[in-house]
Each structure stands twice: as structure tokens, then as C-alpha cells.
Amino acid sequence: MSIVFVMAPVALVLATVAVAAFIWAARDGQFDDTETPAQRVLFDSMDERPQDDSSRVQA
Amino acid sequence: MTTLLDAPSETDIDTAIVCDHCGLAVPEALVDPIADHQFCCGGCEVAYETIHGCGLEAYYDFRKRTPADRQAAKGAGKRYAAYDSDAFLSRNAGTTSNGCRSIDLRLEGVHCAACVWLVERMPTIVDGVIDTRLSLGTSRARVVWDPQKARLSEIAETLDRLGYTPHPARDKSAHSARNRAERTRLIHLAIAGALAGNSMLMAVALYAGAFEGIDLQHATLFRWISMVIGWLSLTWPGATFFRSAWVACRNKAASLDQPIALALAVGAVAGTVNVVTGRGEIYFDSLSVLVFLLLVGRFLQARQQRWAEEAVGLTLSMTPDSCRVVRDDQVIEESSEGLEVGDTVEVRPGELFPADGTVLQGASSVDQSLLTGESRPVAAENGTEVFAGSQNLTATLRVSVSATGETTRVGKLVRLVEEGLADKPPIVRFADRIGGYFVVVVSVLALVNFSWWVATAGLSGAIESTVALLIVACPCALGLATPLTMAVAIGRGSKRGMLIKSAAVLEKLTDAGRKQHGILFLDKTGTLTTGRLQVEGYTGDPDLKPWIAAVEAKSNHPIAKALFEAFTGASTTDAATISDHTEQLGDGVVATIPAGKLLVGSLRFARQEQVTVPTYLQAAIDEGHRRGHSVVLAALNGRGAGVMWLSDELKPGTREQLELLTHAGWTPAILSGDAAPAVQRVAAALGIPADSAMSDSTPEQKLLRVKSATGDEQQGPAIMVGDGVNDAAALAAADVGVAVHGGVEASLTAADVYFSSPGIGKLNELMALARTTMRTARRNFAISLAYNLTAVALAAMGWVTPLVAAVIMPLSSLSVLISAVAFGTTEVPAVATNQK
């Protein structure tokens, strides 16, 4: 049997995993606001605050 | 001689003194020569001090404000005691897993990344705030705080002081529904993309096989996988096309989704048959890519309309969140939501009325411009009716509540707006109309092709060729062209300060069906004029000016404020030398100054106090009346010494803008709630015929007038431009409603377009944008059509293989994409204005 019969389904499985990850991230709200996080990257350079872990909001 | 007071000159912005906080010019009257820092208003001063006090000066380095964006910090100076109440918190705040509270707040005045930076530094500003996240696009902030260490009222006050007045985000369910809808769209897009990519993978193998040869077992494998992917693509993300085509068929309407659904369906069925029987061509790769590209177009379209849907619970945002209720002689600050008919509320000067009611105690003047658009205050005393959302000006009032929430006058107006919006017939879009014809034409062509092939070459050849024809005839580029062009147009519009709710607006403005240009209804106060009383002229003793300013300094009355602004700084006066200061509500003030008894007030008041008016002043009084101004008299020791003209001034540049519009063919008309003399004055200044200027209009009357214009099919589109709640119903009913900067929440929701700068300046730009957009849309349409015709011809001749189809369709989409984006390089001409 040709290896292609293994490769093709595996490729599809990989694709499925990737899509599933995307769906999870989207449902988690990570794509809701794509503007503001882009701006936040600039902040660290001007920040004097010590790094702190902001508590994840679960509400 | 009457001297006209100069406004700060716009042309020497560079040499003018600018506010250290917001960058706007500081009015001459407020420039303090000895101070280190200059501010244009109290709001900016407070914000500046707060920012420096917390060591966050980096804010000023961050800010990238263009001149058009400069805005003063508009702190409302409110106290938010009611935010701490259990009722408020249980309604609006959530709890986090570690016992802290969280709340979604909508903030005013958020402009750029620096604002985000500042707001997200709240934990360093207020002890007890754990986290703050602000979304730039929606101006919503999520604040998490420890209730043991900080009170929500403190947090709200700090945000207000910084210039970001907070409101509780009331539309939580609508907001999360919208979020969910957008997420679903994104997920479908991603799935469509993954399926398209993988189906191309299979297809490339098969194309290669077509040239080089391929084992039957491999070909079969790829074909079956291709079919599975294809069906997934059509039934999951692609289902939306079938659904919408079906709905359109049921409603006997035409839609671009119909030919698309036809192509998809035919391709899928034919492909499945070919895979199962093992011979013939399959087109699943083209179908999957088709679904993906079309979904991209829709996604872009939906994303652009985001701002328009962020409507906060309207009624509640125009009335204050908290109020003072009198229970058993105790005044308690409570949330406005708990108010009931029969309650007594206390409203202090400067505050907004939380509900409709009748005055029980006190005498004051009230600013009802929210409802009437009228800039002049109305006297309120025992028995006077007052309305929710209007502002109490001079003295504390106790009011018995007669209507709350939706039953208030403002609430009813909001309902009128909502009904107006719901009733608006959906415009049959240009592209959708085409869709109807497309199906017919394509079906006919297919039939012709089929018969011809059957006659000449036999059934199987006929089927192959016709299937190919139906697939490549699919208006892919068309389906992409219009949303893309509109999305680009809306994006360009928003860069120029014109926020457009939906592309349909642009189509409406250039509607070829009706007469090109119709009526332009303009609100007066706030749209054509600045909305604030300003001193237009002064006749009399110039030495009196600083005394007038000093005497009017404490009053909340708009006339007093205007006089103060105009005359303060002319020279210094010692406030301690003023005594016996009495304010007669709605009439004027009387005080004793070193020179004697000074009276500043209305003519009626002056007559009451038996003031004599010298002849030269009488002439100034008459001239002021003739010109439609409000006339205020200053009298020293019983004898008239100065006459002041006050008016709501026309915004600079309005006349020129209007001329451009009239040249273009629009007929202007004024709809105003203000009194006739003031309206006529403005009409005359702008060259609008007197009978086109309606005065003393209630919101309901404005609505009727606009409706009668939209109902007239002979006329071109009716456009309404306004800014207040009293315009909102009319805005919703107009063919195109435009809300201008400074507008109230209700008018923003009711309108189709929002201008972020005040005045009618952007109307010309909007028209130009609409024209350019429609031109590009038509060009894209032509390109798509050309592709489709070529493809159909090729299919009829039997030259379309899956490879050819897979090349043609993305190619057509690409050229349409380039054309849509390239349209931006032919710049929308900015109309030169003199406006700030």
C-alpha cells in the first residue's frame, strides 16, 4: 500500500487540530479585540511599573 | 459705537496659546499670564493635575492626536456615590473567582493608544484596583477591584477626573450577542479557509496527475477526500448562502446569493455523481475556494459596521445614573433605576433631572435644550413641569416624580426613534438586484449550451460542459466586489471623520432611480450654530465690562456664563469690593460695586427696577432685537450704561459649505426648536428663504416634516442633519440621517452617518465619497461581468477543465480586490474649510 494512504488522512487530521485550536481561541474571546493589544506592545517600553500578574477575570 | 468682540483667530493656531492638556486653543479670556500652564477649560486642568500627580506624564508623549481629534477633557464633575449601593452593584457588577468585583464601563473621550495606556494604569492611580482593560474600538473598560480596598465611586470619580466619564455598560446581553455573532462568523471563515486550502492540496495532486499520469487508486483517494471536504464546506460555512437564497426565493426577491447557491449546488451534485461513478471532472476545489472568498467579503462588511451597533441603553444614558431621593425628610443618594411615580427628588443646580415631574419646592431656571433644542432657559417654579434629561441651572428644586424611564417624554422619543429605525424599508441593494437577472440569464445560457452540445456531441459532453458553465458563471467576483468596495469606502470615511453605519447609505446618496438631489434638513442649534450663547456686541461704557464679569461669575445661567467668558480678563477687579449680590432667577443680578448699584439683566427686569435708558442705548437695544439677538442691559445706579447682544453664533464656514451644497443641487431647509427671530436670523445669514425655516418645532413636528419629504417619490433623497435628542426621531425617519459631533447618544443611534467634527462641513466630503464609491463599485461590477462572460464562452466551447476554473475564479476575485483597494488612491477631495 502506498504511503499516500497514510499521509493524506494525517494531513487532514493535522488541519483539523489546527482548526480546533482556532475555534477554541475564538470562543475564548481572543479575537474579539485585535486593535488594542497591538497598541499595548508599545506600552512596556514606557512603563516603570514592576511586572505583576493581573488576576484572570473569571466573571 | 458697537464693538464686535473678536473670536480667537483660527489662522494663527501656531502662535495662539494652546491648552497643555488637550492642545486646543485657549480662549483669550481664560489665559492667565502668570500661570505655568494654560488650559482651555476646568476639565483639562483637573485631568492634567491628576495625571501629573500620579507620575504618569508619559501619557503626553504617547498621544498622537491629529488637529481634528483634539478634544477637551470633559469631566462631568459628578460624584458617583450611587455606584456603591447594593442595588447598583448587584445589577451591574460581577464577582471574580477570588472574591473581587468586576464591572464593564463605557467610557467617554477615549481616542487613542495613550488613553488606553492611561486607563490601564488605574491600578497605580487608585489603590485597590487590580486590573483594568480598555478596548479602543468599543470604549469599554473592564475594571476589577478589591471591594475591601477601594470603592467603585472612587474609581468612577478618578476616571471622570482624567476626562473619561464612565457609564455602566447597560447593554450587556446585546453586546455579548454581537460578540458571539462575530465569533461565529470568524470561526466559519477559518473553517472555510482550512477546507479550501486542503481541497486545493488534493486538487494540485489531481492536476499534476492529469499531465503526468496518476495511479487509479491515488486518484480515487484524492477524489473521495476532495468530495468530503467539498460537502463539509458547503454544508457548514457555506450553508449561509443556501439559507439566504432560499429566504429570498420565498419572498420573491432577488439576491446575489441565488446564482451563487445555484453554482454551488450544481457543482456539488455533478461532482458527487462523478466521484461515485469514477469518471468525469470534479470541481470541489473551486467550490471550496468560492465559499471562502465570499465569506471573506461578508466578514469585512460586518466588521466595518461595529461602531454602529454599540448602542447603550438609550433612555438610561441620557438621564443621570444616580439621584437624590427625599424620604421622610432625609435626602438619600440612590440609583435612578429605583425611582417610582410619587417619589420626591432633589435636583441641585447643574444636575440633570432623573425623571419627568412637577416642581414642589424652589424656583430656578431649566435648560430644556435636550428636548427643544432651545438654547434659552425656561423658568421653573411651583407647579412647573420638568422633564427627564433636562438640566437644572440656578437653584435647588424639589420635584414630584410623574414618569420614569420609558414613560418619560425622552423615553417616548427614544421609542419613536427605535420604531423609525425598525420601519425603515431595507434598501434593495444594487448587487442584489443584479442577482435576480443573473440567475435568469445564466439558466438560459446553460439551457442553450446544453441543447447545442446534445445535438452535436452527445449527452455526457453536454453535461460536462454545462456543469462547467454553471460553475464559472458563478458571480464570485461580484459577490466579493461590492462588500469589498463598501468596506474600503467605509474605512476611508472613518479615517476622515465620517463614520458610516452601512454601505447602503452611500448607495442612497447617489440613487440613480430618483432625482439626484433632494432636501437637506438642517437643525439649527449645535449643527449650524455653536449651541452656546456668545456675546455678539457691546455698546456702552467699556470700564463696566470687568464688573459685569465679576458679578456674573457665580451664576449658572447660560447668559451669565457667556458674559463672564467674554468680559473676564479685560482688567482685574477685586471680588471683595462686591457686596449685596442678589440673583433674580431668570431675570438678572443686582450687586453693589464701588461705583454704585450695578444691575445686569433682561429688559423686563430693568423696567421692573425702573431703570432709565439713554437714547443711544435704546438704539442699540432696538438694533439688537432687529437682528434677532437676545438683549441684556447693564445699569449703574438706575441708569442704563451698557447693552449687550447675545446670540448663538453661526459656526465659522457654514455659509460657504452650504453654498457648495446648494450649487450641487440640494435644497436646504431649517428645522429648529428655537424661537422664530433667532431662526430667521440664521436663515437670513445663510441665504435660506424664510418659509423654508421652521421654528418652535417639537421633535414630533420635525419628524412629520421629514416624513412628508421622504414619502414624496418625486423628490430626491431627504437628508436630515442634527445633533440633539429632539432631532433623533427625524434622523431615524430621513432617507439618510447625519448626526454631528457633540450629538447626544440618541441621535447617534438614530443616524446613519456620524461626523466626528462639528458643523456641516463634512457633508460635501460625504457626497464626494459616495460618488467615488459607487463609481468604483460599478467598475468592479464591469470587471466581474467581463470575467464571467469570458468564462462562460470558454465553457461553452468545452475548454474549461477544473484547472481552468480554479485559475479563472480566484483571478477574477484578485483583480476586483486590487480595483477596490486602488480606488483609495484616487483621493476623495477634501473640501477646504476654515473650520477648526
Side-chain angles (χ1 to χ4, degrees):
Chain A
M1 188 181 82
S2 149
I3 193 72
V4 170
F5 283 91
V6 174
M7 276 169 32
V10 167
L12 292 178
V13 166
L14 283 176
T16 312
V17 169
V19 171
F22 183 88
I23 292 178
W24 169 82
R27 289 233 175 96
D28 196 41
Q30 294 182 20
F31 291 102
D32 284 349
D33 180 9
T34 51
E35 280 180 74
T36 325
Q39 307 279 5
R40 285 205 192 104
V41 177
L42 302 172
F43 295 168
D44 293 337
S45 60
M46 304 283 276
D47 220 349
E48 286 134 16
R49 256 194 331 148
Q51 277 288 36
D52 61 345
D53 294 331
S54 325
S55 52
R56 282 284 297 169
V57 177
Q58 296 298 323
Chain B
M1 276 305 286
T2 310
T3 53
L4 290 173
L5 294 158
D6 300 318
S9 158
E10 293 106 318
T11 49
D12 43 5
I13 277 282
D14 292 330
T15 56
I17 298 177
V18 292
C19 175
D20 278 333
H21 178 73
C22 69
L24 284 174
V26 178
E28 272 177 57
L30 292 177
V31 173
D32 184 354
I34 53 171
D36 289 329
H37 303 287
Q38 304 295 339
F39 302 103
C40 66
C41 62
C44 283
E45 186 166 358
V46 170
Y48 187 85
E49 277 163 14
T50 314
I51 291 173
H52 271 81
C54 301
L56 294 169
E57 301 85 2
Y59 170 73
Y60 294 104
D61 299 324
F62 258 135
R63 253 186 354 184
K64 292 180 282 282
R65 302 267 186 92
T66 63
D69 280 338
R70 289 194 193 126
Q71 255 186 36
K74 274 193 287 220
K78 288 161 71 169
R79 287 170 319 119
Y80 294 85
Y83 278 30
D84 293 327
S85 70
D86 284 327
F88 183 89
L89 286 173
S90 61
R91 204 190 171 98
N92 293 298
T95 321
T96 66
S97 53
N98 47 2
C100 297
R101 311 286 324 249
S102 75
I103 186 170
D104 277 348
L105 293 169
R106 198 179 50 84
L107 302 181
E108 293 180 31
V110 175
H111 303 110
C112 63
C115 299
V116 176
W117 183 82
L118 191 58
V119 170
E120 293 191 349
R121 294 292 163 281
M122 278 300 280
T124 55
I125 303 175
V126 177
D127 198 30
V129 174
I130 296 176
D131 186 41
T132 314
R133 288 267 139 164
L134 175 61
S135 162
L136 197 51
T138 57
S139 289
R140 285 172 93 101
R142 196 98 197 266
V143 180
V144 178
W145 80 100
D146 181 355
Q148 313 285 3
K149 299 216 198 114
R151 285 172 298 136
L152 187 55
S153 53
E154 274 179 76
I155 298 172
E157 272 174 45
T158 312
L159 282 169
D160 182 58
R161 271 209 305 277
L162 289 171
Y164 305 112
T165 309
H167 300 277
R170 292 188 194 275
D171 64 339
K172 284 234 277 270
S173 56
H175 181 76
S176 28
R178 257 178 270 119
N179 266 356
R180 261 175 290 134
E182 184 159 314
R183 281 178 204 162
T184 313
R185 270 194 291 267
L186 185 63
I187 291 174
H188 280 188
L189 190 62
I191 293 172
L195 290 171
N198 282 288
S199 117
M200 293 306 304
L201 192 67
M202 300 295 125
V204 164
L206 290 170
Y207 301 155
F211 290 121
E212 302 281 317
I214 181 173
D215 277 357
L216 181 62
Q217 53 175 356
H218 293 151
T220 314
L221 173 69
F222 295 145
R223 283 162 73 95
W224 277 88
I225 293 180
S226 198
M227 181 180 86
V228 168
I229 292 178
W231 274 100
L232 261 178
S233 184
L234 287 178
T235 52
W236 195 353
T240 167
F241 299 111
F242 294 105
R243 265 197 300 265
S244 117
W246 177 241
V247 165
C249 284
R250 258 215 325 238
N251 294 342
K252 307 242 184 350
S255 155
L256 199 60
D257 289 334
Q258 286 159 340
I260 292 172
L262 179 66
L264 292 176
V266 167
V269 168
T272 309
V273 167
N274 286 355
V275 166
V276 168
T277 57
R279 51 188 170 75
E281 306 287 8
I282 59 166
Y283 295 91
F284 289 110
D285 53 321
S286 297
L287 299 180
S288 315
V289 171
L290 197 62
V291 167
F292 176 63
L293 289 177
L294 289 168
L295 283 179
V296 167
R298 288 187 175 203
F299 181 77
L300 284 178
Q301 199 176 12
R303 244 239 148 132
Q304 287 289 349
Q305 296 172 13
R306 184 182 49 194
W307 85 271
E309 295 171 332
E310 287 289 327
V312 184
L314 292 179
T315 322
L316 298 172
S317 68
M318 281 181 296
T319 52
D321 301 320
S322 63
C323 59
R324 265 173 278 266
V325 183
V326 181
R327 290 193 205 286
D328 310 316
D329 266 348
Q330 285 251 19
V331 176
I332 317 165
E333 201 158 322
E334 279 186 8
S335 163
S336 308
E337 291 165 38
L339 273 183
E340 286 167 20
V341 175
D343 281 343
T344 307
V345 286
E346 186 180 272
V347 183
R348 297 202 186 146
E351 292 181 346
L352 301 178
F353 289 96
D356 285 358
T358 345
V359 178
L360 288 175
Q361 215 180 37
S364 173
S365 46
V366 173
D367 176 2
Q368 291 186 329
S369 58
L370 191 78
L371 289 169
T372 62
E374 166 95 38
S375 36
R376 265 156 281 231
V378 166
E381 48 187 17
N382 207 315
T384 316
E385 258 201 273
V386 288
F387 301 107
S390 48
Q391 188 181 33
N392 186 16
L393 292 172
T394 38
T396 308
L397 288 176
R398 286 213 175 169
V399 176
S400 168
V401 174
S402 61
T404 59
E406 285 181 2
T407 49
T408 59
R409 184 135 170 242
V410 112
K412 291 200 191 124
L413 260 178
V414 163
R415 241 210 333 270
L416 264 178
V417 167
E418 285 168 359
E419 282 165 16
L421 289 176
D423 281 345
K424 237 180 180 157
I427 314 105
V428 180
R429 313 271 281 275
F430 174 55
D432 284 332
R433 268 181 294 181
I434 300 300
Y437 295 129
F438 223 85
V439 184
V440 172
V441 168
V442 163
S443 308
V444 165
L445 283 175
L447 225 59
V448 166
N449 184 60
F450 189 75
S451 352
W452 187 76
W453 271 77
V454 163
T456 54
L459 191 61
S460 68
I463 294 179
E464 287 283 342
S465 161
T466 311
V467 165
L469 186 149
L470 282 168
I471 292 176
V472 293
C474 176
C476 164
L478 213 65
L480 196 55
T482 320
L484 212 58
T485 314
M486 296 309 179
V488 171
I490 290 178
R492 279 184 206 288
S494 80
K495 284 215 184 83
R496 302 184 130 255
M498 300 180 271
L499 300 182
I500 304 171
K501 232 184 222 183
S502 85
V505 165
L506 296 169
E507 284 187 44
K508 259 216 177 132
L509 285 172
T510 53
D511 199 339
R514 302 156 103 181
K515 231 174 65 160
Q516 272 287 308
H517 304 289
I519 304 189
L520 195 56
F521 289 109
L522 301 161
D523 173 49
K524 181 186 79 72
T525 315
T527 307
L528 294 172
T529 66
T530 57
R532 283 173 309 128
L533 283 176
Q534 282 176 335
V535 180
E536 298 276 324
Y538 178 78
T539 316
D541 182 4
D543 291 330
L544 215 44
K545 287 194 210 172
W547 292 107
I548 296 175
V551 147
E552 298 282 14
K554 294 242 180 50
S555 171
N556 252 335
H557 198 281
I559 289 184
K561 285 194 185 142
L563 288 171
F564 175 74
E565 232 179 73
F567 293 153
T568 205
S571 68
T572 46
T573 60
D574 193 352
T577 56
I578 301 176
S579 58
D580 297 329
H581 181 282
T582 6
E583 182 167 347
Q584 193 86 349
L585 299 165
D587 287 328
V589 296
V590 183
T592 311
I593 61 174
K597 184 167 134 195
L598 178 64
L599 176 151
V600 181
S602 67
L603 293 169
R604 194 192 55 183
F605 183 51
R607 237 170 295 151
Q608 233 178 297
E609 301 288 309
Q610 279 140 4
V611 166
T612 55
V613 180
T615 351
Y616 75 103
L617 284 184
Q618 186 60 48
I621 293 174
D622 293 333
E623 178 66 15
H625 279 145
R626 205 183 58 80
R627 293 200 192 180
H629 294 301
S630 278
V631 176
V632 174
L633 186 66
L636 195 56
N637 296 323
R639 191 171 150 77
V643 165
M644 291 143 281
W645 294 347
L646 286 103
S647 249
D648 194 4
E649 201 180 62
L650 262 190
K651 288 202 164 98
T654 307
R655 193 185 171 121
E656 291 80 22
Q657 290 297 327
L658 203 57
E659 268 173 20
L660 284 167
L661 289 163
T662 337
H663 272 331
W666 293 94
T667 316
I670 299 182
L671 291 179
S672 173
D674 214 344
V679 177
Q680 289 304 331
R681 189 179 141 261
V682 168
L686 292 174
I688 298 174
D691 53 4
S692 295
M694 231 170 87
S695 52
D696 291 309
S697 313
T698 61
E700 293 83 3
Q701 282 170 328
K702 288 194 186 188
L703 172 65
L704 275 169
R705 182 73 190 85
V706 169
K707 266 198 166 148
S708 71
T710 57
D712 190 348
E713 282 300 319
Q714 305 293 63
Q715 296 259 10
I719 299 187
M720 171 76 194
V721 183
D723 77 327
V725 174
N726 58 330
D727 300 318
L731 283 171
D735 287 318
V736 176
V738 178
V740 291
H741 180 74
V744 189
E745 207 68 48
S747 65
L748 296 177
T749 312
D752 299 302
V753 183
Y754 167 67
F755 289 162
S756 62
S757 61
I760 61 169
K762 294 230 179 287
L763 271 177
N764 281 303
E765 279 188 59
L766 182 66
M767 306 300 179
L769 180 67
R771 273 195 301 271
T772 324
T773 308
M774 292 317 291
R775 218 178 13 233
T776 310
R778 278 185 274 259
R779 183 175 71 216
N780 287 341
F781 176 67
I783 295 176
S784 327
L785 208 57
Y787 267 102
N788 279 121
L789 286 173
T790 321
V792 164
L794 288 175
M797 289 187 269
W799 288 350
V800 173
T801 61
L803 181 57
V804 172
V807 168
I808 291 184
M809 288 160 72
L811 201 63
S812 67
S813 304
L814 196 66
S815 37
V816 156
L817 190 113
I818 294 177
S819 159
V821 172
F823 123 79
T825 62
T826 60
E827 272 294 322
V828 176
V831 183
T833 67
N834 286 331
Q835 287 179 304
K836 261 194 266 226

